[in-house]
Amino acid sequence: MRCVLFSGKGGVGTTTVAAATATLAAQRGNRTLVMSADPARGLAAVLDHPLADVPVEIESGLFAQQVDIQRAFEDQWQVLRGSFGRLWEATGTEPIDAGELMPLPGAEEVLTLLQLLDQIRSGAYDVVVLDTGPVAQLLRLLTLPETLSWYLRRMIPVDYRIAHLLRPSSRILGRGDVTEPLTGAATRLREIMNEVREVLLDPSRSSVRLVLTPESVVVGQTRGALTALALHGFGVDAVVANRVHTQAGADAWRAGWVAVHREQLLDVEVSFAPIPVLRAAYRAGEPIGLEELAAFAAAAYSGLDPVAVLGGGGLTGSEALRVERTGDGFSLSLSLPFVERSEIDLARIGDDELMVSVGLQRRLFSLPSALRRCDVRGAVLRDDRLVISFVPNPDFWVRT
């Protein structure tokens, strides 16, 4: 089963490319689901078909779903509500009804991931295509499992030290351990997020495809997206250049755009290599409906399998982060394309974590046991990789 996630700067046609890819995949014999959590509901407009918060079959083998965040939140709350019964009873709190609630900040990403995982687990589809919307939303979606797991690990440790402190007061109330629902729910959520992250980080199962238009501002933002994705270990297997002006039927006005797009795309193909750059020509009208979407995708993929891993030598999860032995210690390296040394900052967090910041993006790395007993000696950028050198700390290594 494959999962393909599409993202791009707002207005570049991400929803169109995602829907077209799903349509072509279904027509080539794959049982396909295309999903969107965009509240603007652009997917229904592009497919020219009404959608629901459950998969709807549009044609043979092609299903579509508009994730309804409020409905998903209420459904999840009904599952959790019973678990909190003892807590409400012990504290004298009135039970909360689903109709009273609005999704919490960050709930949209959690619920989208839960919906995605449910469809992946179902085994009903050969491929799930997810329209994630703008790049910022994609980054929140992809980094949430790791971030949330970190917070849950820090705030509710595995040995439930916090819960243990609260148990005496719970027993005094004669209600048993009322903290169990909290720790149990937190542990289950962490397990789910780890499962989602495992799927999304596996390049054989999941791919990110970035959509751009051949304009300097958009190209620059796409490079930034690739850097951020690489920092967090996610590979991009293709870039789709949409609305490309071609030479066909060019007048003086269009000839200028043809020249600009040719120059931009040459730069994109060179700088993004070896990630393939697919081209979708500017069309006379919007590709709306299955027939137009299929024609759009057939031209863009040009014989390639839309479900396959297209990137070949592109970034993958295994290539993104490497730990290697050196002459006098170890090195930890990660792929960071399109970055200047001045944009990078490093910070050691205790003995077991290293924080790497690139601009506004940051990631905490849990260090292997060998590196926890080392000091950071320095870092260099080499061939689009950040290489961090570690040397053993003699106070933590057994002398022989």
Side-chain angles (χ1 to χ4, degrees):
M1 208 289 299
R2 289 272 294 143
C3 178
V4 185
L5 299 89
F6 284 89
S7 185
K9 182 180 181 297
V12 300
T14 303
T15 301
T16 297
V17 177
T21 300
T23 302
L24 183 63
Q27 292 186 355
R28 292 189 176 177
N30 299 285
R31 195 168 173 84
T32 305
L33 170 66
V34 56
M35 301 174 62
S36 176
D38 184 357
R41 298 180 179 269
L43 182 60
V46 169
L47 292 169
D48 194 24
H49 196 287
L51 301 181
D53 59 349
V54 294
V56 174
E57 188 167 18
I58 298 177
E59 69 172 4
S60 179
L62 177 62
F63 297 77
Q65 178 182 0
Q66 175 66 53
V67 178
D68 185 329
I69 297 301
Q70 180 64 40
R71 175 67 179 273
F73 187 69
E74 291 175 1
D75 289 346
Q76 290 296 325
W77 181 249
Q78 294 296 348
V79 174
L80 293 173
R81 192 175 187 273
S83 301
F84 286 91
R86 281 188 296 156
L87 181 60
W88 286 328
E89 184 183 356
T91 58
T93 305
E94 286 291 324
I96 300 173
D97 188 74
E100 303 175 59
L101 297 174
M102 292 290 288
L104 298 168
E108 179 178 343
E109 287 78 20
V110 173
L111 294 169
T112 300
L113 289 171
L114 290 175
Q115 293 274 329
L116 177 63
L117 184 60
D118 283 346
Q119 301 303 346
I120 291 173
R121 284 172 167 175
S122 73
Y125 308 102
D126 301 311
V127 58
V128 176
V129 176
L130 180 61
D131 170 24
T132 69
V135 170
Q137 185 170 332
L138 170 68
L139 290 171
R140 288 195 301 270
L141 190 73
L142 292 180
T143 59
L144 179 69
E146 184 177 54
T147 302
L148 190 56
S149 293
W150 184 88
Y151 274 104
L152 290 172
R153 187 171 66 249
R154 286 300 185 92
M155 296 176 68
I156 305 180
V158 175
D159 59 3
Y160 302 146
R161 288 191 293 269
I162 296 176
H164 180 73
L165 294 173
L166 295 175
R167 280 185 185 130
S169 59
S170 303
R171 291 179 181 129
I172 290 172
L173 291 172
R175 308 292 185 182
D177 183 8
V178 299
T179 63
E180 184 180 342
L182 295 175
T183 55
T187 300
R188 179 62 184 142
L189 181 58
R190 191 169 73 189
E191 290 172 350
I192 291 172
M193 291 297 103
N194 287 339
E195 184 178 352
V196 172
R197 181 168 172 79
E198 182 179 344
V199 171
L200 295 178
L201 275 175
D202 183 348
S204 68
R205 301 172 68 184
S206 299
S207 296
V208 175
R209 293 179 190 167
L210 298 175
V211 182
L212 57 79
T213 51
E215 302 161 6
S216 57
V217 172
V218 178
V219 171
Q221 292 189 358
T222 306
R223 287 194 178 105
L226 187 64
T227 301
L229 289 167
L231 172 64
H232 293 283
F234 296 100
V236 173
D237 82 332
V239 172
V240 182
N242 192 23
R243 300 175 188 155
V244 178
H245 281 284
T246 65
Q247 192 65 45
D251 52 25
W253 177 84
R254 186 180 295 180
W257 278 111
V258 169
V260 170
H261 284 188
R262 184 188 302 117
E263 182 179 350
Q264 286 287 346
L265 286 174
L266 179 61
D267 182 45
V268 167
E269 289 175 344
V270 170
S271 60
F272 279 77
I275 299 172
V277 179
L278 312 182
R279 299 190 182 198
Y282 208 109
R283 301 169 68 88
E286 293 182 81
I288 295 176
L290 300 185
E291 184 177 348
E292 287 291 321
L293 289 171
F296 174 95
Y301 285 95
S302 187
L304 295 173
D305 181 358
V307 176
V309 180
L310 302 178
L315 298 175
T316 67
S318 61
E319 295 171 341
L321 182 67
R322 292 201 297 257
V323 177
E324 298 172 304
R325 191 71 187 255
T326 62
D328 57 353
F330 302 88
S331 72
L332 182 150
S333 69
L334 60 148
S335 176
L336 283 180
F338 309 122
V339 172
E340 299 292 335
R341 179 64 184 91
S342 59
E343 302 175 76
I344 300 173
D345 191 28
L346 304 176
R348 187 75 177 261
I349 310 297
D351 294 327
D352 57 351
E353 292 178 321
L354 180 71
M355 179 181 289
V356 180
S357 301
V358 181
L360 299 178
Q361 291 290 323
R362 59 175 49 179
R363 182 183 177 191
L364 270 171
F365 291 90
S366 181
L367 296 174
S369 59
L371 299 190
R372 295 177 187 178
R373 294 177 287 158
C374 295
D375 296 325
V376 177
R377 181 173 61 183
V380 295
L381 268 177
R382 185 184 304 139
D383 298 328
D384 285 341
R385 294 191 72 87
L386 174 65
V387 182
I388 306 167
S389 300
F390 292 80
V391 292
N393 183 330
D395 293 335
F396 294 102
W397 288 80
V398 177
R399 294 182 177 86
T400 58

